[in-house]
Amino acid sequence: MTDEVGRDPEAVSKFVESFAAQLVEAGMQRMPARIFAALLSSDEGAMTSAELGEQLQISPAAVSGGVRYLAQQHMVSREREPGSRRERYRVHSNQWYEALTNREAVIKRWEGALREGVGSLGAGTPAGRRMAETLAFFEFVDGEIAAMMERWRLHREDLFGA
């Protein structure tokens, strides 16, 4: 049996669950991982709550909670269907870029807290030195992420156009 574009729905379902399992192993919650994998594997990159519920065999509440988490992580966006009150949830081609850029803001906040920690603990103490090394690590990572994201932007343009 195949869908309207010739894919085997069972094979698609198997991929969704397999990829979701990989995301869970990497630390993502199970339901958001399944929703993200389903959206990523859909041709439009967008589905309604009902479509997600039907494909994944989950409740509307499970869809809502999973989408809320994914939206907070900047991995999906909500859109209104034209002329309808129904929302569609969309994964964009640059979702990884957005998610990583969001992490960069978290790293900046950690850097500020660590700077305070170094000041509070004293740079010359063992704890202060450990805090300073942690701060230096996050400053390094922050710079590397920014440079890497710029390289990715250029690489993506080469591969897929503007």
Side-chain angles (χ1 to χ4, degrees), residues 11-160:
V12 171
S13 179
K14 189 174 182 178
F15 164 76
V16 166
E17 296 303 327
S18 173
F19 187 58
Q22 294 296 316
L23 294 171
V24 169
E25 193 172 308
M28 187 183 283
Q29 298 171 9
R30 183 172 183 269
M31 201 54 63
R34 293 181 70 216
I35 292 168
F36 182 75
L39 288 169
L40 194 62
S41 66
S42 70
D43 281 338
E44 289 184 21
M47 299 173 81
T48 65
S49 179
E51 290 167 337
L52 285 164
E54 182 180 333
Q55 179 177 337
L56 299 173
Q57 296 296 296
I58 58 177
S59 71
V63 172
S64 179
V67 167
R68 185 178 334 106
Y69 172 85
L70 292 168
Q72 289 170 344
Q73 301 304 311
H74 302 277
M75 295 180 76
V76 301
S77 61
R78 297 171 193 255
E79 304 173 343
R80 285 263 185 231
E81 285 190 339
S84 170
R85 291 182 6 175
R86 290 192 332 175
E87 286 187 327
R88 294 179 63 77
Y89 307 109
R90 177 172 301 280
V91 64
H92 296 279
S93 59
N94 64 348
Q95 78 276 349
W96 299 113
Y97 179 91
E98 291 296 326
L100 198 51
T101 300
N102 183 50
R103 295 286 185 249
E104 193 175 9
V106 171
I107 290 172
K108 289 281 191 205
R109 288 195 306 270
W110 290 350
E111 287 174 8
L114 289 165
R115 262 187 215 90
E116 286 181 30
V118 171
S120 298
L121 297 167
T125 67
R129 283 192 299 276
R130 189 170 46 253
M131 196 75 54
E133 184 176 342
T134 303
L135 171 59
F137 170 77
F138 283 115
E139 289 171 336
F140 174 81
V141 167
D142 188 33
E144 289 298 305
I145 289 173
M148 179 183 64
M149 297 312 279
E150 178 59 21
R151 288 192 309 273
W152 164 247
R153 189 187 62 73
L154 295 171
H155 182 69
R156 181 175 183 247
E157 285 177 12
D158 287 346
L159 290 175
F160 303 105

